[in-house]
């Protein structure tokens, strides 16, 4: 690909078609693919990122070294068995018995992969429908002894019996409690791994033969990604899927006919909504090595407003009694707890965080944070304790919604879920489950206590003013 700088001391360039390895500075004509083998590994370190997350205290005391070691290790290969396929039980049995000879094979392509083990079921995923292999995706492709297993994965994936998906990415749909009759919205769906899970739940639990009564509506703002999503969903071959192309924060409301009123319309809201929003993605550092080099606190801060807008729209589109699941592959509380806290306060009369501690009991998790500190993007050592500490001229960059609200404990932010890499050899992820308890457009049944107190205060002031006016009139008379 890129030619190495030669004896002339110049930079390595792209080269040309005839001499792919010859860049500027007199590079020779050696193949760039051969030179690629000698490229140094990207450094998996970022002092600014480490200092930032130490200050946020996202890792329990005494676990930091173990956490960083896991972040630098390669990510295992994970995949799901489609539960609505006719061969699900057979594939599960094959994974248990057919590949037992992969016990202690040495992996030479990647020094971080010392040995491999047979495929194992993820302990927290229901019914042994998700499995993992201790080697990376790259090693799985390149190791001669694993050719048989790799071909098996490719073949079963193409037929729709298996879906390659990162382990933590499988968690949000499991918290949604999807039933066959539900209208489900996936707001940021591409590339489609979570959408396929939701479709499987619609079909798996359906007792009727043929088309289930529910539907999954998958949306993405990028047209090319929508095309990729449709291509991925062809493997499932479900008639219960509709793909939209809108900005997630501007998804339009769908309307149905109101049978009670001639010509009337009623809004068609959703029973379940997944907001897996765009994020800085620093939880994917085990597979995306560029995260180490490019990370900046400005990435999360820049996406904060968009994430709030998407979650707000998700709540508006949800039926009363419905569930909204918010998730990111970021560790940054500015993208996670701060977003959730803002939206909870905005819909305080109709939205609450649900406790998911009894769901997926084998999943190791940490509670959501109640405190965090935004950092100045220009001064890496300056953390803002609260919004009042932010200078006036940069408050647009660090709005008040970046900071922990005064009622953080009352919002039950500890019910949010944080998954860290060193607990179960995964990536990092954030998930929370929100229940919409009432229609957000309906008037509140009773005013807030502080609102009522304020009204009483106004009445008292009015009475005092009336008495003062009466006294003045008496004196004049």
């Amino acid at each position: 690909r890129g030619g190495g700088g030669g004896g002339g001391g110049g930079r390595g360039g792209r080269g040309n078609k005839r001499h792919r390895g010859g860049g500027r500075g007199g590079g020779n004509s050696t193949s760039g693919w051969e030179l690629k083998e000698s490229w140094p590994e990207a450094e998996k370190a970022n002092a600014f990122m480490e200092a930032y997350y130490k200050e946020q205290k996202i890792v329990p005391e005494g676990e930091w070294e173990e956490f960083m070691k896991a972040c630098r290790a390669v990510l295992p290969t994970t995949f799901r068995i489609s539960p609505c396929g006719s061969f699900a039980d057979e594939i599960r049995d094959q994974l248990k018995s057919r590949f037992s000879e992969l016990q202690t094979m040495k992996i030479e392509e990647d020094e971080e992969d010392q040995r491999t083990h047979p495929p194992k079921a993820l302990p927290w995923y229901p019914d042994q429908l998700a499995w993992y292999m201790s080697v990376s995706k790259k090693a799985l492709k390149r190791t001669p002894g694993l050719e048989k297993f790799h071909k098996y994965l490719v073949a079963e994936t193409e037929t729709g019996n298996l879906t390659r998906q990162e382990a933590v990415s499988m968690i949000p749909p499991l918290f949604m409690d999807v039933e066959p009759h539900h209208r489900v919205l996936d707001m940021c769906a591409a590339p489609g791994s979570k959408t396929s899970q939701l479709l499987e739940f619609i079909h798996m639990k359906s007792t009727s033969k043929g088309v289930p009564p529910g539907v999954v509506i998958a949306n993405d703002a990028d047209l090319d990604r929508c095309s990729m999503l449709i291509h991925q969903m062809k493997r499932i071959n479900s008639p219960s899927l509709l793909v939209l192309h809108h900005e997630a924060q501007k998804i339009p409301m769908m309307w149905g006919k109101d049978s009670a009123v001639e010509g009337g319309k009623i809004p068609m809201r959703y029973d379940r909504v997944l907001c897996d929003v765009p994020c800085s993605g620093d939880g994917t550092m085990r597979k995306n090595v560029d995260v180490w080099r490019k990370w900046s606190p400005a990435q999360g801060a820049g996406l904060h407003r968009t994430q709030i807008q998407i979650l707000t729209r998700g709540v508006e589109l949800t039926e009363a009694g419905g569930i909204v699941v918010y998730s990111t592959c970021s560790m940054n509380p500015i993208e996670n707890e701060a977003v959730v806290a803002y939206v909870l306060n905005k819909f305080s009369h109709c939205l609450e965080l649900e406790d998911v501690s009894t769901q997926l009991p084998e999943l190791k998790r940490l509670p959501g944070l109640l405190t965090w500190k935004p950092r100045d993007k220009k001064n890496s050592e300056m953390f803002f304790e609260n919004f009042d500490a932010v200078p006036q001229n940069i408050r647009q960059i660090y709005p008040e919604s970046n900071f922990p609200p005064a009622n953080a404990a009352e919002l039950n932010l500890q019910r949010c879920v944080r998954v860290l890499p060193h607990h179960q050899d995964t990536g990092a992820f954030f998930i929370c489950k929100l229940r919409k308890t009432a229609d957000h457009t309906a008037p509140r049944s009773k005013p807030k206590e502080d609102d009522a107190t304020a009204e009483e205060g106004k009445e008292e002031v009015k009475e005092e003013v009336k008495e003062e006016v009466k006294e003045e009139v008496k004196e004049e008379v």
Side-chain angles (χ1 to χ4, degrees):
R1 291 200 180 176
R11 288 189 301 163
R14 290 180 64 88
N16 54 38
K17 292 181 180 179
R18 184 172 298 177
H19 302 293
R20 188 180 292 271
R24 280 197 263 169
N28 58 36
S29 60
T30 304
S31 168
W33 298 109
E34 293 174 7
L35 288 173
K36 182 180 177 182
E37 297 299 326
S38 63
W39 289 354
E41 289 288 330
E43 185 181 6
K44 295 180 180 180
N46 187 314
F48 296 126
M49 181 170 66
E50 292 180 37
Y52 180 81
Y53 284 121
K54 278 183 178 179
E55 186 69 25
Q56 308 305 336
K57 296 181 173 58
I58 66 166
V59 180
E61 191 173 351
E63 297 183 16
W64 184 261
E65 294 303 322
E66 187 183 357
F67 165 72
M68 290 305 300
K69 182 180 178 181
C71 289
R72 295 187 176 106
V74 293
L75 193 66
T77 300
T78 50
F79 50 92
R80 288 187 297 104
I81 302 172
S82 174
C84 45
S86 51
F87 301 105
D89 293 335
E90 184 179 341
I91 290 174
R92 186 164 43 201
D93 292 339
Q94 286 180 350
L95 291 170
K96 290 178 181 178
S97 58
R98 183 176 170 185
F99 301 101
S100 58
E101 73 276 7
L102 304 176
Q103 187 70 36
T104 55
M105 184 178 302
K106 182 165 179 165
I107 307 300
E108 298 178 357
E109 279 76 4
D110 196 323
E111 294 179 359
E112 296 179 68
D113 281 325
Q114 298 300 321
R115 60 182 182 177
T116 184
H117 297 282
K120 295 181 180 178
L122 288 173
W124 47 265
Y125 201 98
D127 303 322
Q128 293 187 326
L129 289 173
W131 292 68
Y132 73 99
M133 192 84 175
S134 59
V135 297
S136 67
K137 184 178 179 181
K138 181 176 73 173
L140 187 64
K141 288 181 179 179
R142 295 184 177 184
T143 306
L146 296 176
E147 286 180 356
K148 179 181 176 183
F149 182 64
H150 181 247
K151 288 180 179 179
Y152 175 82
L153 284 184
V154 171
E156 296 299 339
T157 300
E158 288 177 352
T159 57
N161 291 324
L162 293 179
T163 299
R164 304 279 286 275
Q165 184 178 357
E166 191 178 344
V168 286
S169 175
M170 305 174 190
I171 301 172
L174 293 173
F175 283 152
M176 294 179 69
D177 305 329
V178 174
E179 297 294 336
H181 63 278
H182 283 158
R183 290 194 295 266
V184 183
L185 173 63
D186 189 350
M187 298 185 74
C188 309
S193 55
K194 298 181 188 68
T195 308
S196 65
Q197 265 183 288
L198 297 171
L199 271 174
E200 288 167 2
F201 293 155
I202 289 276
H203 285 277
M204 180 177 64
K205 297 181 180 180
S206 179
T207 55
S208 61
K209 295 182 179 179
V211 182
V215 64
V216 175
I217 296 180
N219 175 77
D220 203 88
D222 188 286
L223 187 58
D224 290 336
R225 286 169 65 84
C226 283
S227 300
M228 179 173 60
L229 171 67
I230 294 169
H231 176 73
Q232 293 289 340
M233 292 303 103
K234 282 182 179 177
R235 297 184 302 109
I236 300 177
N237 199 26
S238 169
S240 303
L241 174 70
L242 174 65
V243 177
L244 300 181
H245 171 46
H246 286 283
E247 290 184 353
Q249 61 269 43
K250 298 178 182 178
I251 295 177
M253 180 71 72
M254 293 189 181
W255 297 84
K257 292 182 179 180
D258 187 355
S259 57
V261 181
E262 186 176 353
K265 295 181 180 180
I266 54 173
M268 294 180 63
R269 293 194 173 94
Y270 301 91
D271 303 291
R272 300 289 186 267
V273 174
L274 175 59
C275 301
D276 187 53
V277 298
C279 65
S280 60
D282 56 20
T284 66
M285 63 179 70
R286 295 184 67 179
K287 65 177 182 179
N288 296 328
V289 184
D290 269 359
V291 168
W292 294 95
R293 179 172 58 89
K294 296 180 178 179
W295 184 91
S296 164
Q299 295 171 336
L303 289 164
H304 174 77
R305 285 187 177 91
T306 301
Q307 291 161 343
I308 284 178
Q309 291 169 356
I310 293 174
L311 181 54
T312 298
R313 188 56 179 159
V315 173
E316 291 171 348
L317 293 171
T318 304
E319 194 72 68
I323 291 172
V324 183
V325 168
Y326 177 83
S327 63
T328 74
C329 53
S330 168
M331 298 181 287
N332 196 339
I334 307 299
E335 303 176 72
N336 297 326
E337 286 91 346
V339 173
V340 175
Y342 179 87
V343 175
L344 279 169
N345 278 322
K346 182 174 182 177
F347 295 98
S348 58
H349 62 295
C350 66
L351 195 67
E352 62 183 24
L353 267 170
E354 284 213 339
D355 184 5
V356 293
S357 58
T358 58
Q359 290 186 262
L360 307 182
E362 297 292 326
L363 177 67
K364 295 181 181 178
R365 67 196 84 183
L366 292 173
L369 303 177
L370 296 180
T371 61
W372 57 89
K373 299 176 185 177
R375 195 188 82 178
D376 188 345
K377 66 178 182 180
K378 292 184 179 179
N379 185 351
S380 62
E381 297 181 358
M382 180 181 289
F383 288 85
F384 300 117
E385 294 288 338
N386 50 55
F387 182 62
D388 294 335
V390 181
Q392 289 286 346
N393 61 328
I394 59 172
R395 287 194 171 184
Q396 284 188 332
I397 303 174
Y398 305 98
E400 193 168 4
S401 59
N402 278 190
F403 294 82
N407 64 338
E410 297 171 17
L411 296 175
N412 295 314
L413 291 180
Q414 72 278 3
R415 291 181 175 177
C416 298
V417 173
R418 283 179 163 273
V419 179
L420 295 182
H422 64 295
H423 286 155
Q424 286 180 307
D425 199 14
T426 63
F429 223 75
F430 175 89
I431 316 103
C432 72
K433 181 179 180 180
L434 300 156
R435 173 79 67 175
K436 188 173 180 181
T437 57
D439 185 356
H440 68 281
T441 61
R444 300 182 185 182
S445 56
K446 58 180 180 179
K448 287 184 178 178
E449 186 177 346
D450 53 352
D451 292 344
T453 305
E455 290 298 325
E456 290 175 7
K458 289 179 183 178
E459 292 299 326
E460 290 177 3
V461 170
K462 286 179 183 179
E463 291 299 324
E464 289 176 4
V465 171
K466 286 180 181 179
E467 291 299 325
E468 288 176 4
V469 170
K470 286 179 181 179
E471 291 298 326
E472 290 175 2
V473 170
K474 285 180 180 179
E475 288 176 2
E476 287 179 3
V477 172

